[in-house]
């Protein structure tokens, strides 16, 4: 027979416990709720089909004048920063834990010396040791807000990273800021101009005591298929048949490690210019008839397969001493096929990966 022990040490068997439970139930069923609460609110849970009232009665009016003092704050539970005994699952080191898509306006320097304020999506994460339950994620936001009023560069991002790395007692940390960067672009022949928007991300990573800076850019261009161009010309010459080669909107995601060099800063505009030199058929903003004709001629002068695009971008990146390791992910979103043509070219060990994100190429789709 199962036995329990009372505080006094005398053993209590299951039958006695059942008798005591029945006594409690009978008493609680007829007693005043205040009496039940005074003895132990948990007794209400022993009543079959009984509601579980909270004692004393709780206020349903928001206390707008309530101001917690230090003692009250100290009494508040903090499960996320609780002891290791609260950890669920394997007690393993987590490489990154933090927040994503935390947005705020940030000012950026431009190459011409001016500043521009842009809505920025911030991702901030730190490593978490195996014996720690979690982190206080609001500290990442608070640390970032402490520097948000300053003109942002990698130096200020480093200051923010220092703050929340200290606050969260972490070994490794990472900040990424994503934004859409506007640049005025002239039309090919009409003299008009308009704003082209570039998806850009700045990334600062500290791993095992080493800090590295990365710049990511999505460059959108038109790609004319060389094979289709030659076949179209063959139809014209051999049969007098009008034919048009297929072209499509294409995207290259350029990721580079920034290297400090005496030659100066690698600006957003510099990376954009390198892409334009490599593949000049960038999509257009303001277009009149003469611009449309010029764009057709420009495409015909620069037909490229997706393999060509990756190598042309690579050629330009290799020549800039401000760029270390880099990765080029290109996607030609075919108008001939019902699938895309893709390529990846990697320089150095930084971006090497045996496995790819299954949705990597789908993220390169840019809506006009």
């Amino acid at each position: 027979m199962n036995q329990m022990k009372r505080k006094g040490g005398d053993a209590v068997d299951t039958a006695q416990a059942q008798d005591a439970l029945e006594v409690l139930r009978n008493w609680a069923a007829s007693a005043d709720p205040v009496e039940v609460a005074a003895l132990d609110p948990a007794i209400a849970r022993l009543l079959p089909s009984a509601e579980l009232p909270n004692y004393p009665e709780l206020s349903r009016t928001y206390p707008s004048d309530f101001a917690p003092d230090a003692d009250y704050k100290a009494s508040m539970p903090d499960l996320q920063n609780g002891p290791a005994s609260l950890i669920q699952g394997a007690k393993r080191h987590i490489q990154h834990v933090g927040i994503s898509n935390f947005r705020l306006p940030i000012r950026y320097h431009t190459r011409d010396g001016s500043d521009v304020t842009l809505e920025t999506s911030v991702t901030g994460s730190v490593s978490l040791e195996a014996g720690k339950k979690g982190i206080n994620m609001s500290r990442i936001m608070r640390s970032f807000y402490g520097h948000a009023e300053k003109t942002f560069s990698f130096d200020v991002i480093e200051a923010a990273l220092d703050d929340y790395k200290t606050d969260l007692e972490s070994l490794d940390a990472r900040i990424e800021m994503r934004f859409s960067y506007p640049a005025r672009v002239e039309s090919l022949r009409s003299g008009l101009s308009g704003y082209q928007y570039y998806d850009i991300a700045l990334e600062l990573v500290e791993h095992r005591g080493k800090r590295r800076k990365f710049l990511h850019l999505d460059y959108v261009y038109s790609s004319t298929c060389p094979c289709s161009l030659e076949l179209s010309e063959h139809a014209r010459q051999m049969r007098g048949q009008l034919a048009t080669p297929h072209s499509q909107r294409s995207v290259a995601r350029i990721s580079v490690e920034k290297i400090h060099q005496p030659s100066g800063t690698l600006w957003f505009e510099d990376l954009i210019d390198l892409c334009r030199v490599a593949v000049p058929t960038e999509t257009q903003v303001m277009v009149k008839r003469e611009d449309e004709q010029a764009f057709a001629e420009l495409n015909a002068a620069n037909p490229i397969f997706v393999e060509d695009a990756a190598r042309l971008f690579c050629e330009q990146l290799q020549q800039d001493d401000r760029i270390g390791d880099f990765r080029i992910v290109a996607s030609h979103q075919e108008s001939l096929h019902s699938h895309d043509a893709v390529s990846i070219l990697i320089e150095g060990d930084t971006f090497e990966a045996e496995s790819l994100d299954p949705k990597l190429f789908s993220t390169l789709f840019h809506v006009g």
Side-chain angles (χ1 to χ4, degrees):
M1 179 179 292
N2 294 329
Q3 290 188 334
M4 297 170 285
K5 283 195 174 183
R6 287 185 276 188
K7 289 184 179 178
D10 295 337
V12 178
D13 61 27
T14 302
Q16 290 174 306
Q18 288 176 339
D19 290 341
L21 178 59
E22 191 62 28
V23 170
L24 275 174
R25 282 176 172 167
N26 291 335
W27 171 77
S30 58
D32 185 278
V34 176
E35 290 183 86
V36 176
L39 181 63
D40 189 340
I43 295 174
R45 299 177 180 272
L46 303 177
L47 299 177
S49 303
E51 295 182 1
L52 304 179
N54 292 306
Y55 300 102
E57 185 176 352
L58 301 180
S59 171
R60 293 180 179 270
T61 303
Y62 174 70
S64 58
D65 58 346
F66 174 70
D69 58 20
D71 289 339
Y72 183 87
K73 292 178 183 177
S75 72
M76 297 174 70
D78 186 3
L79 296 181
Q80 193 67 2
N81 291 296
S85 59
L86 296 179
I87 292 175
Q88 298 188 55
K91 292 185 179 180
R92 295 293 302 275
H93 171 82
I94 298 177
Q95 284 74 23
H96 292 281
V97 59
I99 60 172
S100 176
N101 200 31
F102 157 52
R103 293 180 295 170
L104 70 170
I106 297 291
R107 284 183 297 153
Y108 296 90
H109 280 314
T110 62
R111 188 172 57 183
D112 63 7
S114 61
D115 287 349
V116 58
T117 299
L118 302 172
E119 178 184 306
T120 301
S121 171
V122 177
T123 294
S125 63
V126 294
S127 61
L128 182 64
E129 296 175 25
K132 290 185 177 180
K133 166 65 175 173
I135 67 169
N136 188 327
M137 294 192 183
S138 67
R139 290 185 185 177
I140 295 177
M141 298 170 64
R142 294 199 302 271
S143 298
F144 217 85
Y145 261 104
H147 301 275
E149 297 301 319
K150 303 175 184 178
T151 300
F152 260 71
S153 64
F154 270 109
D155 290 340
V156 183
I157 301 175
E158 286 193 86
L161 185 142
D162 283 337
D163 283 356
Y164 82 70
K165 186 168 175 280
T166 300
D167 288 345
L168 299 169
E169 300 177 341
S170 176
L171 299 176
D172 296 336
R174 173 179 175 268
I175 289 180
E176 180 186 84
M177 301 194 308
R178 293 185 295 111
F179 51 92
S180 183
Y181 182 72
R184 194 105 186 180
V185 178
E186 289 193 3
S187 299
L188 293 173
R189 286 179 181 157
S190 66
L192 298 175
S193 67
Y195 281 102
Q196 189 80 277
Y197 286 83
Y198 300 90
D199 286 355
I200 291 177
L202 303 180
E203 186 179 23
L204 177 65
V205 177
E206 178 164 332
H207 180 58
R208 295 178 180 174
K210 181 178 181 181
R211 286 194 176 176
R212 306 175 77 173
K213 302 173 183 178
F214 301 97
L215 176 58
H216 306 271
L217 164 71
D218 277 13
Y219 180 72
V220 185
Y221 59 98
S222 171
S223 59
T224 295
C225 174
C227 183
S228 181
L229 177 60
E230 292 301 319
L231 290 172
S232 297
E233 289 305 303
H234 181 272
R236 291 169 185 260
Q237 294 174 11
M238 301 301 292
R239 297 184 289 114
Q241 176 63 48
L242 178 64
T244 59
H246 74 85
S247 301
Q248 51 273 321
R249 184 179 296 175
S250 305
V251 181
R253 180 163 298 156
I254 311 295
S255 299
V256 304
E257 181 178 9
K258 294 182 64 172
I259 302 296
H260 179 71
Q261 291 289 351
S263 53
T265 300
L266 178 69
W267 297 95
F268 313 142
E269 298 94 331
D270 294 336
L271 189 56
I272 294 168
D273 286 345
L274 287 172
C275 290
R276 286 178 182 157
V277 172
V279 178
T281 52
E282 182 179 18
T283 54
Q284 301 295 294
V285 182
M286 300 291 286
V287 174
K288 297 181 73 172
R289 284 180 298 171
E290 58 266 38
D291 300 310
E292 187 168 355
Q293 185 179 68
F295 194 62
E297 295 171 9
L298 185 63
N299 272 268
N302 295 275
I304 48 172
F305 294 117
V306 72
E307 304 93 329
D308 300 323
R311 288 169 173 153
L312 287 166
F313 289 122
C314 175
E315 182 179 41
Q316 294 302 314
L317 298 177
Q318 284 179 324
Q319 296 175 25
D320 196 308
D321 65 357
R322 297 168 297 178
I323 295 174
D325 291 355
F326 59 81
R327 177 183 61 209
I328 301 155
V329 182
S331 174
H332 289 190
Q333 291 147 20
E334 296 278 326
S335 62
L336 169 64
H337 303 291
S338 57
H339 55 264
D340 301 333
V342 298
S343 66
I344 298 177
L345 190 155
I346 295 172
E347 178 81 6
D349 298 331
T350 301
F351 298 100
E352 285 282 0
E354 295 296 325
S355 175
L356 296 178
D357 178 349
K359 294 189 177 181
L360 169 64
F361 295 109
S362 64
T363 65
L364 269 68
F365 186 81
H366 277 235
V367 178

